[in-house]
Amino acid sequence: MDKRVMLNKYTIFEINRQNMSDSEINDIYTSSLEEWREENPMFPKPAFEEVKSDFLKTDDSYVDLDFLIKDNSNLVATASVFLHNPNSDAPSEKKEKAWVRMRVFPDHRNKGIGTEILKFLINKTKQYPLRSFSAATGLEPGYRFCEKFGGDVIKKSVESYLDLEKVDVTKIEKLSSEITTKNQDVKIETVDNLTIGGVEEYIRLFAEFDEETSKYNKDANFDKDSCIENGIKSAKKDISIGYKKTVTYVRDSNGRAVGMSTFLITPESKEIAQQLMTGVLKDYRRRGLCRLLKSRSIIRLKELYPNIKLIKTVNDEENSSMRKINESLGFQQLPVYKAYTFELNKLKERLQIK
């Protein structure tokens, strides 16, 4: 059934991820291209099938509300709300939060469209027990929009990328060799493709670092046991659908993993790899081991996946030590990405919604 709402001279179409038309999928791809042109033109152009596959993924534990905003037949904006399913096992405080994603195309900004869309989304979600909205952006217009409506910054992160076609492999190999010589009491081991059997060790170490980095997120309510439980389920699911993780570990003399660096390769990945968590436990820091892990993992990635041209990674802005390591290896940094939260009642007041 065609679900549409008039918004001044614009029409909002609600779409269903489980039953999308070719036209709707094309519109989502158009929005993805707009995002690429404005935010990431240095990356390869996103492939249609990759965008389609990523968008169509669903999880019954969550509710996805997605909208296309058009002026006559012209797409001028897209919007989505992502929240926990009220019937899921998620804690009540998580069910009170929703993530909002909006993109008004550049030629249609400063016309009040974003404000009207935000009002629409608040009314559309009033059936849910929400107390806050959150949104994230790496663009100046996005900063201004969020700050205009009283958004509080809860996290700042920096995305960086490494062009593997320009990387100085000889420099990285030399650096790796020098650090290895100074750390004879540890061993570097690379798992080319993480399997079900290796998931628990990987997730438990991941949780150690996740707990530490949660301090950078003012809105975080970290639960380590829940992180491990959900992480193991998620990692196993990723493996089942063809995701590949290349994990480089640093192990102590007893074989215990005390650090790691991970690359993610998805089935849709053609030219880009994502570098996930890199870290070492506190007792093994200030020895160059993070730099060693990243160096070894980059070298191995080039060997395993010669088609990969770029590596993307994200770090908290406050994590200056890791950002410096990335810079020393040739990573280029993008503008700061800010996550905002809005107390829903205050947001309604600003928007004069009763």
Side-chain angles (χ1 to χ4, degrees):
M1 182 175 69
D2 185 12
K3 300 173 70 174
R4 67 179 72 188
V5 175
M6 295 304 299
L7 187 67
N8 295 329
K9 69 171 185 175
Y10 304 101
T11 307
I12 297 182
F13 296 86
E14 183 172 358
I15 57 179
N16 182 347
R17 293 192 186 204
Q18 296 180 335
N19 185 28
M20 290 182 67
S21 67
D22 290 342
S23 174
E24 289 169 340
I25 292 173
N26 286 333
D27 283 337
I28 293 299
Y29 184 60
T30 297
S31 180
S32 178
L33 290 181
E34 285 289 336
E35 179 178 350
W36 167 70
R37 292 188 189 101
E38 192 168 16
E39 298 187 33
N40 302 306
M42 70 292 296
F43 297 158
K45 181 179 178 180
F48 176 82
E49 287 301 324
E50 183 176 358
V51 172
K52 176 181 176 181
S53 174
D54 187 57
F55 187 80
L56 293 181
K57 291 173 185 172
T58 58
D59 186 332
D60 291 340
S61 300
Y62 299 93
V63 174
D64 296 290
L65 304 173
D66 303 292
F67 307 93
L68 304 171
I69 298 86
K70 295 190 175 185
D71 181 2
N72 293 320
S73 60
N74 298 317
L75 185 68
V76 299
T78 56
S80 297
V81 181
F82 179 75
L83 54 110
H84 285 272
N85 190 323
N87 299 319
S88 71
D89 295 330
S92 58
E93 61 268 19
K94 289 191 175 183
K95 295 178 183 179
E96 296 173 348
K97 302 175 183 180
W99 276 91
V100 174
R101 183 178 176 86
M102 291 171 45
R103 175 166 293 276
V104 177
F105 294 177
D107 290 345
H108 299 275
R109 290 177 187 158
N110 301 313
K111 298 178 181 179
I113 300 175
T115 301
E116 293 304 314
I117 294 173
L118 188 55
K119 290 179 181 179
F120 169 80
L121 296 179
I122 290 173
N123 287 320
K124 187 68 179 179
T125 56
K126 61 185 178 181
Q127 71 190 82
Y128 300 102
L130 298 176
R131 299 183 65 181
S132 68
F133 270 8
S134 295
T137 178
L139 298 173
E140 284 292 341
Y143 300 157
R144 292 195 296 270
F145 184 85
C146 290
E147 289 160 12
K148 174 182 177 181
F149 293 107
D152 293 321
V153 177
I154 55 174
K155 186 175 182 178
K156 296 180 181 180
S157 55
V158 178
E159 186 174 44
S160 304
Y161 67 96
L162 179 66
D163 187 337
L164 290 177
E165 295 183 330
K166 297 179 180 179
V167 70
D168 188 339
V169 176
T170 301
K171 176 184 174 182
I172 291 179
E173 288 177 337
K174 181 181 178 182
L175 178 64
S176 173
S177 178
E178 290 173 351
I179 299 174
T180 300
T181 301
K182 297 176 182 178
N183 290 277
Q184 295 295 313
D185 60 326
V186 297
K187 177 184 177 182
I188 301 297
E189 174 196 34
T190 297
V191 177
D192 288 343
N193 187 12
L194 186 69
T195 62
I196 296 290
V199 161
E200 184 167 346
E201 178 186 45
Y202 169 75
I203 292 298
R204 287 190 178 279
L205 185 56
F206 189 99
E208 293 286 340
F209 302 129
D210 215 17
E211 181 177 34
E212 187 173 351
T213 57
S214 67
K215 69 183 180 182
Y216 298 123
N217 186 346
K218 297 178 182 178
D219 200 39
N221 184 17
F222 188 79
D223 181 334
K224 190 173 183 178
D225 291 338
S226 177
C227 175
I228 292 172
E229 180 182 355
N230 293 331
I232 290 174
K233 289 180 182 178
S234 178
K236 288 182 176 179
K237 180 180 178 181
D238 286 349
I239 292 171
S240 71
I241 60 176
Y243 282 26
K244 295 180 180 179
K245 288 189 174 77
T246 298
V247 187
T248 301
Y249 289 108
V250 56
R251 297 187 181 276
D252 64 15
S253 57
N254 296 316
R256 180 175 69 111
V258 297
M260 69 176 183
S261 184
T262 310
F263 279 112
L264 172 66
I265 308 292
T266 68
E268 299 82 22
S269 294
K270 304 299 182 184
E271 300 176 320
I272 300 177
Q274 298 176 50
Q275 186 159 41
L276 307 180
M277 184 72 75
T278 297
V280 296
L281 298 180
K282 289 183 178 180
D283 290 345
Y284 290 83
R285 291 177 187 168
R286 300 188 182 280
R287 297 172 53 174
L289 293 176
C290 275
R291 201 183 308 267
L292 175 60
L293 283 167
K294 282 206 172 235
S295 300
R296 288 285 190 91
S297 60
I298 290 169
I299 293 169
R300 187 58 179 153
L301 181 77
K302 284 180 65 66
E303 293 171 348
L304 290 171
Y305 301 100
N307 60 301
I308 297 295
K309 295 180 179 179
L310 283 174
I311 296 171
K312 293 198 301 184
T313 190
V314 179
N315 299 106
D316 295 295
E317 186 192 37
E318 297 176 42
N319 192 356
S320 58
S321 58
M322 188 60 70
R323 289 169 56 201
K324 287 178 181 176
I325 290 173
N326 289 339
E327 187 177 355
S328 72
L329 295 172
F331 281 82
Q332 302 294 310
Q333 294 186 3
L334 297 177
V336 174
Y337 206 75
K338 298 181 183 179
Y340 294 84
T341 188
F342 304 82
E343 187 179 326
L344 204 48
N345 285 336
K346 291 182 178 179
L347 184 57
K348 289 179 180 178
E349 288 179 9
R350 285 179 176 266
L351 292 167
Q352 299 181 343
I353 297 175
K354 297 181 179 180

